[in-house]
Amino acid sequence: MGLINLLRLRRPKGMHIHLRQDDLLKLVVMFSNIYGWVLDIGNLLIPIKSPEQVRRRREEIEANNISFKFLLSVMLTEDMMPDLLEECHEAGADVLKYQPFGTTTNSQFGVRLEKLREKYDVLERALELRMIFTGHWELPYNPLTGKDIPLPLREELSIPYLSDVIDYFPGLTIGVEHISGRPMLQFVQQAPLNVFGGITAHHMGCTRADMRDQGSFNPHYSCRPVLKDFEDCLALMTAVSAEDNDNLIFTPDCAPHLKERKETMSDPPVGIFAPGHIGIPLIIQGLENVGLPIRETALNNFFSYNAERIYSLPPADDEIVLVREPCIVPAEYNGIVPLWAGRQLNWQMKEY
Ligand code: DOR
Ligand code: ZN
């Protein structure tokens, strides 16, 4: 088959975006316009966990773009209770998001993974309300000794806790956000039908080598879960490009932090600014680089159909167009360094 130079895809869904607040909110909303729908992640400095915050959040986002389409999440914190979750749902939140304590940005308010069982009454209510429960699955420390677990092992070691939720709640829709490594991918691929996995462009297209820039640490590729090895990227890309990718969706995890904070803090914040016009071409280029097929059916499942089914969203009614036209990703946008900054993309998005 000859080289394709143009690709039409149904308008994608971006089901995991940190829309943030204030100036960042403005910027992320603008860069998220290419998605038909997005899921806003509520891990703000003060996590979203009350009906008032949910209502305010909707207004805050709509003030930037009234026609922007999004779902809202509330965070599973220590003080989240079943009735409170129900009130948040009535106020407009459709998703219960879980970031275990100690895993990532603002996770200090999250329930500890080893205490998740104490919150099963909240998950029970999520099930009754038909909300989606989606999580950041990592175990940051050994619960018996308190000792830190090395970053590359954290995702895999969270599997028993995830497995317990799955066994306990066969009727709950359970998400595994940003799958980064082979053990979790295999686990999700063998999981029951109520379990779905999200994959980012950076976990598919970058490895831990990208976190090193001529020997020194490059904070712009630092995220959680941490980037893994090429074999992990290959496994993720193979799963995404396969025809049976029904329980995998695109979760961009666009998570900007100011360049200045990334570059000057001794413990820089984790998260990659991964807008769709960079992430989507990077995925296509990654598939090509390893010789995997560029199949519109599989890509449409991954970028839109599967999310529509899982999140009960209306079908996409238009398309995006990608053309083979090399370009260099800008070094920064408004003081934020994007994914793949200064590097070449072989594809560009047109008409979005
Ligand atoms: O790298 C990450 N950054 N992973 C997350 O789960 C959160 C995010 C953020 O909010 O910056
Ligand atoms: Zn995230």
Side-chain angles (χ1 to χ4, degrees):
M1 218 170 68
L3 202 62
I4 49 161
N5 293 314
L6 187 135
L7 195 54
R8 278 179 199 284
L9 296 175
R10 302 175 90 236
R11 183 168 296 283
K13 307 278 193 286
M15 304 314 290
H16 179 147
I17 296 200
H18 298 265
L19 290 174
R20 307 283 201 224
Q21 290 181 285
D22 306 318
D23 286 350
L24 277 182
L25 172 62
K26 204 174 271 141
L27 185 83
V28 187
V29 166
M30 192 177 84
F31 277 109
S32 301
N33 250 329
I34 64 148
Y35 299 115
W37 283 81
V38 310
L39 167 62
D40 173 48
I41 302 296
N43 68 331
L44 307 179
L45 270 173
I46 301 171
I48 299 186
K49 53 176 183 156
S50 73
E52 297 75 33
Q53 285 172 294
V54 172
R55 285 192 204 97
R56 214 176 318 126
R57 185 66 176 155
R58 181 166 297 280
E59 288 169 12
E60 208 169 67
I61 298 171
E62 286 180 347
N64 283 276
N65 180 349
I66 190 72
S67 53
F68 195 65
K69 299 209 171 60
F70 55 94
L71 298 180
L72 293 174
S73 59
V74 287
M75 306 304 289
L76 181 60
T77 52
E78 284 283 345
D79 48 2
M80 181 52 77
M81 298 293 161
D83 287 350
L84 183 59
L85 182 71
E86 186 155 350
E87 288 169 33
C88 290
H89 179 60
E90 282 162 8
D94 289 306
V95 176
L96 175 62
K97 167 78 201 241
Y98 179 41
Q99 287 186 334
F101 177 91
T103 50
T104 187
T105 307
N106 298 339
S107 65
Q108 62 272 29
F109 308 103
V111 174
R112 290 171 190 270
L113 202 47
E114 69 274 23
K115 290 196 167 174
L116 184 54
R117 268 186 167 239
E118 293 172 18
K119 287 288 167 192
Y120 277 11
D121 57 345
V122 178
L123 273 59
E124 183 69 45
R125 189 65 64 89
L127 168 60
E128 287 163 20
L129 295 168
R130 292 252 149 283
M131 289 178 80
I132 287 175
F133 174 62
T134 194
H136 178 127
W137 298 101
E138 284 198 290
L139 181 66
Y141 55 86
N142 180 328
L144 297 176
T145 62
K147 260 186 71 173
D148 275 358
I149 292 173
L151 291 172
L153 300 177
R154 291 182 178 186
E155 182 178 75
E156 179 175 357
L157 292 176
S158 73
I159 291 177
Y161 299 88
L162 166 61
S163 197
D164 192 66
V165 178
I166 295 171
D167 291 346
Y168 218 91
F169 296 102
L172 179 65
T173 301
I174 300 166
V176 180
E177 296 296 321
H178 40 54
I179 301 174
S180 65
R182 283 164 289 171
M184 187 58 98
L185 178 66
Q186 276 159 20
F187 178 81
V188 169
Q189 287 182 313
Q190 288 159 12
L193 289 174
N194 58 315
V195 179
F196 71 93
I199 305 184
T200 72
H202 42 281
H203 288 106
M204 262 186 271
C206 306
T207 68
R208 60 204 178 108
D210 292 303
M211 277 192 303
R212 299 262 137 217
D213 190 0
Q214 294 165 3
S216 59
F217 175 61
N218 181 346
H220 302 294
Y221 285 89
S222 168
C223 61
R224 299 288 178 272
V226 74
L227 297 173
K228 303 284 185 312
D229 295 314
F230 173 72
E231 288 71 21
D232 297 287
C233 299
L234 185 60
L236 292 171
M237 288 191 281
T238 305
V240 163
S241 65
E243 294 289 355
D244 65 345
N245 61 2
D246 297 340
N247 70 344
L248 298 177
I249 67 171
F250 183 41
T251 54
D253 203 0
C254 181
H257 293 277
L258 291 175
K259 175 176 191 245
E260 205 202 297
R261 295 188 69 226
K262 278 268 195 193
E263 293 182 358
T264 58
M265 289 173 70
S266 57
D267 192 10
V270 291
I272 297 180
F273 180 46
H277 73 280
I278 297 172
I280 297 171
L282 185 61
I283 292 173
I284 308 296
Q285 149 170 350
L287 297 178
E288 279 194 326
N289 285 348
V290 298
L292 281 163
I294 310 293
R295 287 196 205 102
E296 282 179 15
T297 43
L299 293 175
N300 280 330
N301 284 342
F302 176 67
F303 285 114
S304 59
Y305 280 120
N306 296 344
E308 287 167 8
R309 194 186 66 248
I310 292 164
Y311 280 93
S312 308
L313 298 172
D317 56 8
D318 63 349
E319 294 179 326
I320 57 164
V321 178
L322 290 118
V323 292
R324 186 185 301 282
E325 219 172 83
C327 66
I328 303 290
V329 173
E332 62 179 89
Y333 292 107
N334 292 19
I336 298 155
V337 177
L339 171 63
W340 217 246
R343 299 165 79 173
Q344 179 170 323
L345 286 177
N346 299 334
W347 289 82
Q348 279 189 56
M349 288 188 47
K350 295 279 166 186
E351 299 173 32
Y352 61 87

